[in-house]
């Protein structure tokens, strides 16, 4: 009965959530890009497997081969999953989160239980484990044990075995006794004791020694024995003990030589020890009866949690997602579409490829992160890091902080770093490294032996520009023939900490600094003759650039020849930017956009800390912020068209690092401090040839609530919708190469079933194009 119940709810979720999994998203929709390698927990109900990833739950039914990815975009109430648990009594899956939130997935819906999340305490509220005893689910958290009535979705009681000062990592039960494990001891109490919320009612289990270093992490009650995982700091030094009458005994004769990830019960007669490289199975006599190891599988495994059914052992793997081990030598992997990990820093997009650098900086210094490069193309992800790129092997290379895709050849991707090897260029399977020996890139003036390339960008010809911070000549270029040149950008640009780099539509270079404002460079279309080159600097102060702050955090070039400049204290616009190079000092101040509000004149966005600015196909500006989410401004910046925050949208964090638009379809990729999410906007670059003209969905079936999208048209096109008799039904103007129709007539009423014709033309009356769409009511 439970199998049928869960199978039905999976189908219901699929029908409710729509065709979300593995697919591009519709207009106005969101999708969370879940890290595909970081499975953290697994639960099973007959042949339906629930695998927890950091930001989502993968549901797979092995009978029907149906699969669904649940995230906070399409059903879950939160992100940062910490654990999942199947409760047989209620036939429900419980999802615990890092912030104390809880979801309950049943046959008909997903219910949120936010009581622990909302608790007014200063400590961490992480959900560490669920465990049923009698009529209640007991929840181990970082500050307490909560007694959950799953039928009423309410907390009935709260116990404090450690006065809330130490995390309760795991729970176990023996008749009327509850055991609560902390990192250094095991405590127990009686469930029948009405005073159990009082710490004094909890006793220390003396058979398990109190420790002052290393840590206990998990406990299981198996065959009337308490089994405890003890983790030491050194790799391969962990042990599993069970409590006997007088103390503890090792589960095996000697400690394991592999790192132990976890322990868990598979069924009444088998117990699993999950290790980095193997799974060991034990019977009810605690004898080792089987093993699944990487040597026999010819692939490295690192299970964090395992479950069992008639098909075999299912594993939530630390680096590769969901596995099914059918025997000691046979396995099947069930990958989800997503980036390998959840580390992202900056992005670039060209034509058909998104590239993401996944390093990190510690202020203005390296963090020594060895996360590398994510690539996304045709709905497939790939990942390159120091363990997979031969050219990076045994190199002092770290902190990949910027990336650029060559628009002339998207197989070529440049990624920059703050290390001894500042620049790498990928071209299909080959990787070439550039440093002070084979390029104009230099080590920093501080003498630390590292080189900072904070920004990279290809121009329209395929020349690669690199911003080399803390050097005499920060601006460098590698031309299409492989020749290098560097450029003097003036005395104030020397030996400074540089940040971002962009190239405008006039091929002028603009780069940001943290203390010296914004620099512009005009090389006058000659990479080798610097005699006619020009440079400018904008900073704070009237007649000096008039920026809101000298800490420039974002730069964007729009279609009107304007440079939009984001800082940690708001944004400003440099109008007619190309003329600034011939102007006298003080004649090219940036301007702040002012609006009237309740009788006062204010700057748009005030002193908001801007982290990035992107220009879409309709010349509108997408602006990301440090703590206020994302805003969409009108082309001139005078009007806020949209604002997305965690409170009013599926956005997973208000702290945004970077934005990048797929200008072919309008999908906006968003790097936050909690992961990568994207939103399908209603603008794209124009298609002057109409070769990419498309109308979707087509036909529009009953129940569809989104807009019809007309894409692949000329910039700023007039769009008219007529019925089969030629009567005007609707009209609009495109945002760049995209227009939308809400399937309503001009009077606001929904249209009836029929074929509708779409007429598009530029606002000067050229390039007419006809499409059609079928509406089914």
């Amino acid at each position: 009965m439970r199998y049928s119940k869960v199978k039905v709810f999976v189908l219901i979720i699929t029908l409710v959530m729509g065709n979300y999994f593995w697919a591009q998203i519709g207009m106005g929709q969101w999708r969370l890009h879940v890290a595909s390698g970081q499975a953290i927990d697994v639960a099973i109900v007959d042949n339906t497997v629930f695998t927890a990833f950091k930001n989502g739950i993968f549901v797979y039914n092995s009978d029907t081969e149906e699969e669904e990815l649940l995230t906070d975009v399409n059903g879950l109430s939160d992100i940062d999953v910490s654990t999942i648990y199947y409760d047989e009594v209620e036939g429900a899956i419980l999802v615990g989160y890092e912030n104390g939130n809880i979801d309950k997935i049943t046959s008909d819906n997903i219910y949120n239980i936010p009581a622990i999340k909302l608790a007014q305490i200063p400590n961490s509220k992480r959900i560490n484990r669920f465990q049923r005893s009698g009529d209640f689910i007991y929840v181990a958290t970082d500050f307490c044990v909560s007694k959950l009535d799953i039928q009423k979705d309410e907390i009935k009681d709260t116990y404090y075995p450690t006065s809330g000062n130490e995390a309760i990592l795991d729970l176990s039960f023996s008749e009327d006794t509850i055991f609560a494990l902390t990192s250094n001891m095991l405590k127990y109490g009686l469930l029948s004791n009405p005073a159990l919320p009082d710490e004094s009612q909890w006793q220390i289990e003396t058979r398990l020694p109190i420790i002052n270093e290393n840590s206990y992490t998990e406990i299981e009650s198996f065959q009337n024995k308490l089994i405890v995982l003890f983790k030491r700091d050194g790799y391969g030094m962990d042990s599993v003990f069970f409590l006997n009458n007088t103390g503890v005994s090792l589960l095996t004769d000697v400690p394991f030589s592999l790192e132990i990830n976890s322990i868990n019960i598979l069924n009444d007669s088998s117990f699993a020890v999950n290790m980095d490289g193997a799974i060991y199975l034990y019977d009810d006599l605690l004898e080792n009866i089987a093993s699944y190891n990487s040597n026999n599988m010819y692939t490295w495994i690192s299970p964090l949690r395992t479950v069992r059914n008639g098909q075999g052992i299912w594993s939530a793997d630390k680096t590769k997602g969901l596995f099914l081990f059918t025997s000691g030598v046979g396995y099947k992997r069930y990958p989800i579409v997503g980036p390998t990990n959840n580390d992202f820093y900056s992005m670039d997009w060209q034509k058909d490829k998104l590239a993401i650098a996944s390093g990190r900086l510690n202020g203005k210094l390296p963090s020594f992160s060895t996360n590398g490069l994510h690539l996304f193309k045709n709905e497939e992800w790939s990942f390159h890091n120091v363990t997979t790129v031969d050219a990076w092997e045994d190199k002092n290379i770290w902190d990949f902080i910027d990336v650029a895709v060559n628009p002339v050849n998207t197989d070529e991707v440049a990624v920059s770093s703050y290390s001894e090897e500042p620049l790498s260029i990928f071209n299909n399977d080959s990787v070439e490294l550039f440093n002070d020996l084979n390029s104009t890139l230099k080590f920093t003036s501080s003498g630390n032996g590292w080189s900072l390339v904070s920004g990279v960008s290809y121009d329209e010809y395929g020349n690669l520009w690199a911003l080399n911070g803390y050097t005499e000549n920060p601006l460098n270029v590698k031309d299409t023939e492989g020749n290098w040149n560097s450029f003097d950008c003036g005395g104030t640009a020397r030996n400074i900490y540089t940040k971002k780099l962009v190239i405008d539509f006039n091929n002028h270079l603009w780069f940001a600094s943290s203390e010296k404002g914004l620099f512009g460079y005009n090389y006058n279309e000659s990479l080798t003759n610097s005699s006619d080159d020009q440079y400018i600097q904008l900073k704070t102060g009237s007649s000096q650039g008039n920026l809101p702050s000298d800490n420039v955090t974002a730069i964007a070039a729009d279609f009107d020849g304007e440079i939009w400049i984001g800082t940690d204290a708001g944004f400003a616009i440099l109008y007619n930017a190309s003329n600034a190079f011939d102007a006298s000092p003080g004649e090219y101040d940036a301007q702040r956009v002012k609006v009237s509000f309740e009788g006062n004149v204010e700057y748009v966005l005030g002193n908001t800390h801007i982290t990035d600015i992107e220009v879409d196909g309709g010349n509108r500006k997408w602006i990301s912020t440090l703590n206020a989410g994302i805003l969409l401004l009108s082309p001139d910046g005078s009007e806020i068209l949209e604002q997305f925050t965690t409170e009013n949208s599926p956005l997973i964090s208000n702290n945004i690092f970077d934005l990048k638009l797929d200008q072919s379809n309008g999908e906006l990729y968003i790097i936050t401090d909690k992961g990568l999410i994207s939103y399908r906007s209603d603008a794209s670059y124009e298609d002057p040839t109409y070769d990419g003209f498309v109308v979707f969905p087509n036909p529009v079936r009953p129940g569809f609530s989104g807009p019809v999208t007309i894409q692949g048209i000329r910039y700023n096109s007039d769009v008219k919708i007529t019925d089969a008799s030629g009567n005007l039904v609707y009209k609009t103007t495109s945002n760049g190469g995209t227009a939308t129709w809400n399937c309503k007539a001009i009077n606001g009423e929904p249209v009836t079933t029929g074929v509708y014709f779409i007429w598009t033309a530029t606002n000067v009356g050229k390039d007419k194009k006809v499409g059609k769409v079928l509406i089914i009511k």
Side-chain angles (χ1 to χ4, degrees):
M1 180 63 69
R2 280 197 303 271
Y3 168 72
S4 299
K5 187 175 183 180
V6 173
K7 182 177 178 181
V8 168
F9 98 68
V10 173
L11 290 174
I12 287 174
I13 289 175
T14 302
L15 290 171
V16 171
M17 305 309 172
N19 188 20
Y20 169 81
F21 207 31
W22 314 152
Q24 291 184 352
I25 52 177
M27 192 66 60
Q29 294 182 346
W30 296 76
R31 61 171 166 173
L32 184 62
H33 299 271
V34 176
S36 64
Q38 297 177 334
I40 58 175
D41 207 347
V42 63
I44 194 166
V45 188
D46 293 297
N47 290 340
T48 300
V49 184
F50 299 80
T51 308
F53 291 83
K54 182 70 174 175
N55 289 340
I57 306 293
F58 173 46
V59 185
Y60 176 73
N61 187 296
S62 59
D63 287 338
T64 63
E65 297 187 346
E66 291 175 290
E67 52 191 38
E68 185 72 30
L69 183 63
L70 301 178
T71 71
D72 79 327
V73 170
N74 67 337
L76 300 182
S77 67
D78 223 314
I79 60 172
D80 288 338
V81 178
S82 58
T83 186
I84 60 172
Y85 173 80
Y86 174 60
D87 180 49
E88 294 185 4
V89 176
E90 290 299 318
I93 293 288
L94 293 176
V95 182
Y97 297 93
E98 295 280 348
N99 63 2
N101 211 353
I102 297 173
D103 280 337
K104 180 179 74 173
I105 306 175
T106 69
S107 60
D108 60 357
N109 212 332
I110 300 178
Y111 300 91
N112 181 227
I113 308 173
I116 297 174
K117 175 184 176 181
L118 298 176
Q120 298 298 310
I121 62 163
N123 301 349
S124 167
K125 294 176 273 190
R126 184 182 194 271
I127 305 297
N128 295 316
R129 195 78 70 223
F130 297 103
Q131 194 71 261
R132 175 177 279 278
S133 179
D135 295 332
F136 299 98
I137 298 289
Y138 292 83
V139 188
T141 79
D142 268 2
F143 73 101
C144 71
V145 176
S146 292
K147 182 178 177 181
L148 172 62
D149 186 335
I150 193 174
Q151 287 188 330
K152 297 182 179 179
D153 298 341
E154 64 183 22
I155 302 296
K156 302 296 291 185
D157 214 340
T158 301
Y159 308 144
Y160 296 94
T162 62
S163 293
N165 296 320
E166 293 185 55
I168 309 302
L169 302 178
D170 205 353
L171 299 170
S172 188
F173 298 87
S174 178
E175 297 180 346
D176 189 38
T177 303
I178 176 174
F179 295 89
L181 184 71
T182 73
S183 63
N184 67 341
M185 73 177 77
L186 180 63
K187 303 191 77 172
Y188 67 91
L190 296 179
L191 293 173
S192 58
N193 182 356
L196 197 57
D198 183 356
E199 183 198 10
S200 66
Q201 303 300 303
W202 291 78
Q203 308 299 314
I204 295 175
E205 172 56 81
T206 58
R207 288 179 296 171
L208 190 68
I210 298 175
I211 57 176
N212 296 317
E213 57 183 3
N214 303 308
S215 65
Y216 302 119
T217 59
E218 295 186 7
I219 186 170
E220 293 283 1
S221 179
F222 180 65
Q223 295 297 324
N224 297 319
K225 292 183 176 66
L226 291 176
I227 303 175
V228 178
L229 173 56
F230 173 57
K231 292 187 69 67
R232 294 181 178 90
D233 292 337
Y235 183 88
M237 300 298 291
D238 305 332
S239 300
V240 179
F241 296 98
F242 64 90
L243 275 62
N244 56 33
N245 291 333
T246 59
V248 295
S249 299
L250 274 172
L251 185 62
T252 58
D253 294 333
V254 294
F256 294 106
S257 60
L258 296 174
E259 187 79 1
I260 302 176
N261 295 327
S262 68
I263 58 176
N264 63 258
I265 298 170
L266 294 175
N267 53 35
D268 292 339
S269 60
S270 60
F271 180 86
V273 177
N274 308 304
M275 295 176 284
D276 187 29
I279 304 169
Y280 280 18
L281 301 188
Y282 295 83
D283 64 10
D284 51 3
L285 300 177
L286 295 185
E287 294 181 353
N288 184 207
I289 55 174
S291 66
Y292 301 78
N293 63 71
S294 295
N295 291 334
N296 293 338
M297 300 291 177
Y298 297 101
T299 188
W300 190 259
I301 62 173
S302 188
L304 282 179
R305 190 71 56 185
T306 49
V307 292
R308 188 176 204 164
N309 69 354
Q311 296 168 301
I313 303 289
W314 297 84
S315 162
D317 194 87
K318 191 175 182 180
T319 60
K320 296 180 179 177
L322 177 64
F323 275 103
L324 169 63
F325 301 110
T326 55
S327 68
V329 294
Y331 73 90
K332 185 175 181 181
R333 185 180 170 221
Y334 296 85
I336 68 170
V337 173
T340 299
N341 58 48
N342 216 31
D343 296 295
F344 315 101
Y345 192 69
S346 65
M347 298 179 285
D348 190 35
W349 170 90
Q350 291 292 339
K351 294 182 179 177
D352 58 357
K353 180 177 288 185
L354 178 74
I356 305 178
S358 60
R360 189 75 75 240
L361 291 179
N362 183 14
K364 295 181 180 180
L365 296 173
S367 68
F368 304 103
S369 165
T370 55
N371 278 300
L373 174 67
H374 297 279
L375 298 175
F376 187 44
K377 180 178 179 180
N378 298 328
E379 295 301 306
E380 294 184 358
W381 286 92
S382 61
F383 181 62
H384 308 276
N385 67 3
V386 294
T387 65
T388 62
V389 178
D390 291 340
W392 289 344
E393 187 176 358
D394 299 325
K395 299 287 187 181
N396 290 327
I397 187 168
W398 50 72
D399 291 319
F400 303 96
I401 54 175
D402 200 26
V403 65
V405 182
N406 189 343
V408 179
N409 171 23
T410 58
D411 289 332
E412 182 174 299
V413 178
V415 58
S416 67
S417 76
Y418 191 1
S419 69
E420 291 182 10
E421 304 291 342
L423 180 65
S424 301
I425 298 180
F426 287 74
N427 199 333
N428 290 319
D429 296 329
S430 67
V431 182
E432 188 173 8
L433 273 58
F434 294 92
N435 52 39
D436 64 310
L437 299 177
N438 61 352
S439 74
T440 56
L441 302 174
K442 303 299 180 184
F443 291 120
T444 66
S445 56
S446 63
N448 56 22
W450 306 324
S451 181
L452 168 63
V453 175
S454 62
V456 283
S457 185
Y458 285 94
D459 63 26
E460 61 181 318
Y461 309 112
N463 301 309
L464 175 62
W465 295 83
L467 190 58
N468 192 190
Y470 291 132
T471 64
E472 291 289 311
N473 295 344
L475 198 57
N476 297 256
V477 65
K478 185 181 81 71
D479 67 21
T480 56
E481 301 298 321
N483 302 309
W484 282 87
N485 284 288
S486 64
F487 302 88
D488 181 3
C489 301
T492 55
R494 295 172 191 160
N495 301 312
I496 66 171
Y497 180 78
T498 57
K499 299 171 80 172
K500 298 185 177 184
L501 168 70
V502 300
I503 305 171
D504 68 20
F505 292 103
N506 294 308
N507 282 319
H508 298 148
L509 286 299
W510 302 89
F511 63 90
S513 74
S514 63
E515 297 174 348
K516 300 294 184 178
L518 178 76
F519 294 87
Y521 196 88
N522 175 18
Y523 66 95
N524 274 306
E525 298 297 325
S526 172
L527 299 179
T528 57
N529 178 18
S530 61
S531 63
D532 58 351
D533 292 0
Q534 301 168 294
Y535 54 80
I536 58 173
Q537 178 189 13
L538 282 76
K539 54 185 180 178
T540 56
S542 178
S543 300
Q544 299 186 74
N546 207 33
L547 297 184
S549 166
D550 285 330
N551 181 15
V552 175
T553 54
I555 322 168
D558 77 359
F559 300 153
D560 295 331
E562 301 167 356
I563 300 299
W564 286 58
I565 308 157
T567 76
D568 60 357
F571 76 92
I573 305 170
L574 179 62
Y575 297 98
N576 298 317
S578 61
N579 293 333
F581 292 100
D582 293 319
S584 301
E587 294 181 351
Y588 48 84
D589 277 359
Q591 306 296 317
R592 303 194 69 179
V593 179
K594 299 178 181 179
V595 293
S596 295
F597 180 73
E598 296 182 350
N600 298 315
V601 177
E602 301 178 354
Y603 293 126
V604 173
L605 304 190
N607 62 353
T608 301
H609 187 139
I610 310 297
T611 58
D612 197 17
I613 303 174
E614 284 289 306
V615 181
D616 69 16
N619 207 29
R620 305 176 304 178
K621 281 65 181 185
W622 293 87
I623 295 182
S624 63
T625 70
L626 183 65
N627 51 28
I630 300 170
L631 301 102
L632 175 62
L633 301 188
S634 58
D636 65 358
S638 64
E639 183 180 358
I640 298 175
L641 305 176
E642 296 274 6
Q643 181 172 12
F644 296 123
T645 67
T646 56
E647 289 72 30
N648 67 3
S649 75
L651 188 63
I652 57 177
S653 172
N654 290 331
N655 185 5
I656 315 299
F657 292 165
D658 199 21
L659 302 174
K660 190 58 64 176
L661 276 158
D662 180 340
Q663 300 286 9
S664 65
N665 62 25
E667 187 165 2
L668 178 70
Y669 293 89
I670 306 159
I671 294 178
T672 79
D673 60 342
K674 294 186 177 180
L676 179 68
I677 192 170
S678 59
Y679 169 77
R680 185 75 175 269
S681 71
D682 60 352
S684 63
Y685 274 179
E686 72 167 353
D687 184 348
T689 66
Y690 287 90
D691 290 339
F693 179 81
V694 63
V695 179
F696 63 92
N698 194 6
V700 178
R701 302 188 182 279
F704 177 74
S705 59
V708 169
T709 301
I710 302 106
Q711 201 160 70
I713 56 182
R714 291 293 299 267
Y715 177 80
N716 200 27
S717 289
D718 293 326
V719 178
K720 296 180 180 180
I721 313 281
T722 66
D723 60 21
S725 301
N727 299 309
L728 179 65
V729 174
Y730 184 81
K731 63 180 180 179
T732 188
T733 301
S734 68
N735 288 317
T738 297
T740 58
W741 176 38
N742 59 6
C743 298
K744 294 181 179 180
I746 293 176
N747 61 9
E749 295 295 322
V751 297
T752 58
T753 296
V755 174
Y756 293 85
F757 292 91
I758 302 167
W759 304 78
T760 76
T762 62
N763 55 12
V764 293
K766 298 179 180 179
D767 299 312
K768 288 188 178 181
K769 182 72 178 183
V770 178
K772 61 183 178 181
V773 59
L774 172 62
I775 307 292
I776 304 173
K777 294 294 187 178

